[in-house]
């Protein structure tokens, strides 16, 4: 009975670890989705509307409003993209290039 219980427990740990790995991968993808999402939102809110209420609100200052805030949020969420790019560059630099002279 001790072996059966140990076997069940070990398989539970494996399932838990694979679920945790999947959750971490999903979190990584969500981190990568933040910067482009905020950049698109900045573009969409930065497009001037033709209605009179929007003209009154946007005349106050070019730095007030949602578009600059979305641009800042996009810049603050660039960290995961920069890490991904640096990892790929390091991976590419460490792989030996084929010798074409022989």
């Amino acid at each position: 009975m001790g072996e059966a219980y140990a076997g069940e427990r070990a398989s539970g740990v494996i399932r838990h670890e694979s679920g945790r790995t999947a959750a971490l991968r999903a979190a990584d993808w969500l981190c990568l989705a933040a910067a482009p999402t905020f950049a698109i939102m900045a573009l969409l809110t930065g497009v001037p509307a033709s209605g009179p209420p929007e003209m009154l609100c946007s005349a106050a200052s070019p730095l007030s409003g949602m578009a600059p805030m979305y641009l800042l949020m996009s810049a603050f969420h660039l960290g995961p993209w920069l890490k991904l790019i640096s990892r790929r560059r390091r991976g590419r630099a460490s792989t030996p290039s084929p010798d074409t002279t022989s």
Side-chain angles (χ1 to χ4, degrees), residues 42-59:
L43 287 173
L44 291 176
T45 48
V47 174
S50 60
E54 288 86 6
M55 295 293 285
L56 290 173
C57 294
S58 65

Side-chain angles (χ1 to χ4, degrees), residues 24-90:
L24 290 174
R25 285 186 182 167
D28 287 341
W29 282 108
L30 282 175
C31 288
L32 289 173
T37 301
F38 286 126
I40 290 169
M41 291 169 69
L43 287 173
L44 291 176
T45 48
V47 174
S50 60
E54 288 86 6
M55 295 293 285
L56 290 173
C57 294
S58 65
S61 170
L63 294 178
S64 66
M66 295 301 287
M69 183 199 66
Y70 287 137
L71 284 173
L72 280 173
M73 290 173 72
S74 179
F76 288 135
H77 285 88
L78 280 177
W81 281 100
L82 297 174
K83 285 181 186 177
L84 180 69
I85 291 168
S86 69
R87 270 190 246 141
R88 288 194 177 194
R89 285 191 178 177
R90 267 188 271 141

